[in-house]
Amino acid sequence: MRGIGGRYGRLVRSAGAVLGGVVVAGIVVGLAARLLMSAITIAAAEESQFTLAGTVAILFVFAVLAVPAAATATARPVVRRAGRWLTAGATGWATASTGFADGPAVLLAPEGRMPYIVVLIVAFGTVVVAHGNLAQLAMRRLAGPPPTAAPPLEAAQASG
């Protein structure tokens, strides 16, 4: 018979792995997004002005947006894919709506800088799509291997 600690221990371990996956994805993708934001601003011939508080806020937002992917990392494949795409959609919406504030700076950028800006925007899209994948990968790594079935009773008695 399993003890209460076994059932709740697995639940706590899973919740910790989800939280860890969210934190890892939030930090990695948030920092990548922050660097790309700075690069786009510089490529648009604007002055890049970022604060520590703003960076922490971005990391927090990217961590929160990673929750659907991390929470579905060990679910059935269709649910796992849905979690990844929900994260990608939410992240894409949040970054696109924030990016519209910088639209005039990008549109008024010198024409010779447009190829650089386009490459950076495509890189940003790649980071957005990778967000859910990273959250799920980190969660599965932190959760460890899936529990295995108990050995048959005869095998356990024979080895003992």
Side-chain angles (χ1 to χ4, degrees), residues 14-118:
S14 293
V18 167
L19 181 62
V22 162
V23 169
V24 167
I27 290 173
V28 171
V29 176
L31 287 176
R34 193 64 161 164
L35 289 173
L36 286 169
M37 287 179 212
S38 181
I40 290 170
T41 303
I42 292 168
E46 296 286 320
E47 187 176 323
S48 179
Q49 299 175 352
F50 291 118
T51 63
L52 178 61
T55 301
V56 170
I58 286 175
L59 297 179
F60 179 76
V61 168
F62 275 90
V64 169
L65 292 172
V67 169
T72 59
T74 57
R76 293 178 184 210
V78 69
V79 174
R80 228 179 8 244
R81 279 190 288 279
R84 275 196 309 264
W85 284 109
L86 182 61
T87 292
T91 304
W93 181 265
T95 56
S97 61
T98 303
F100 285 134
D102 297 329
V106 170
L107 291 175
L108 297 174
E111 195 172 320
R113 294 181 178 229
M114 284 301 169
Y116 303 116
I117 293 171
V118 168

